[in-house]
Amino acid sequence: MMTRIGQAVMLHHGGDREEAQGRFLVLWGEIGEDGDPLHRCTLAHYMADTQEDPSAELAWDLRALSAADELTDTRLNQHHQSLAVRGFYPSLHLNLAADYVKLGRPGAARSHLRRARGAVGSLGDDEYGNGIKTAIARLEREVGEGSEEE
């Protein structure tokens, strides 16, 4: 399943958003709402990126977060030994913050940015970790320190 998800991701990164989206939907149908949390989290995370509608993107990112909450390190290590669930949260919360910015909900965006910032300690000092930290800082500057009102 992870290979098939990865193939759809490559389609999307190659510029074929619609084909990737179609494949993700087929795979989601196979996985199901109650399927393996690793598969659901991964697929929903990438499916969100294929959405043009910010509300649909938010819905998929919320599915990814929900699946991550069900995921265990034991299950994750069956896929890859070096991964830990806690390392998923900075990116998941960053994506939700970006969704809320697009939807004009700065208070919700700031809430998820705080969660993302609070979870960055789980990231390595590598290209991926530094990229997430940079993206969090960039979005924090964009959202600013204004009112918490939505």
Side-chain angles (χ1 to χ4, degrees):
M1 181 58 69
M2 294 299 283
T3 299
R4 292 168 65 201
I5 293 170
Q7 290 168 341
V9 170
M10 288 190 300
L11 281 170
H12 182 240
H13 289 171
D16 198 344
R17 184 187 60 78
E18 288 183 23
E19 180 66 22
Q21 200 172 65
R23 289 195 190 187
F24 284 139
L25 285 173
V26 168
L27 294 173
W28 186 258
E30 292 177 26
I31 296 167
E33 291 282 339
D34 297 317
D36 183 328
L38 174 60
H39 297 158
R40 286 187 292 123
C41 181
T42 305
L43 188 145
H45 174 73
Y46 288 110
M47 177 63 141
D49 293 340
T50 71
Q51 303 303 305
E52 291 183 4
D53 175 15
S55 294
E57 185 175 3
L58 173 63
W60 284 105
D61 279 330
L62 288 169
R63 284 182 185 103
L65 179 63
S66 176
D69 288 342
E70 296 174 33
L71 187 57
T72 65
D73 284 335
T74 300
R75 170 60 184 107
L76 189 55
N77 287 328
Q78 291 170 350
H79 174 67
H80 197 287
Q81 288 291 318
S82 69
L83 298 176
V85 176
R86 69 184 181 278
F88 286 21
Y89 287 99
S91 175
L92 293 171
H93 285 293
L94 171 62
N95 289 348
L96 286 163
D99 296 341
Y100 284 119
V101 167
K102 291 175 192 172
L103 292 166
R105 297 178 57 191
R110 280 190 284 280
S111 175
H112 282 282
L113 280 169
R114 281 191 297 275
R115 291 178 189 159
R117 177 65 64 197
V120 295
S122 63
L123 297 174
D125 188 21
D126 55 19
E127 185 178 347
Y128 174 79
N130 292 333
I132 295 294
K133 293 171 194 172
T134 298
I136 290 169
R138 185 180 318 118
L139 194 57
E140 285 171 335
R141 285 190 301 274
E142 183 180 331
V143 173
E145 297 297 321
S147 166
E148 289 294 319
E149 295 300 314
E150 305 223 356

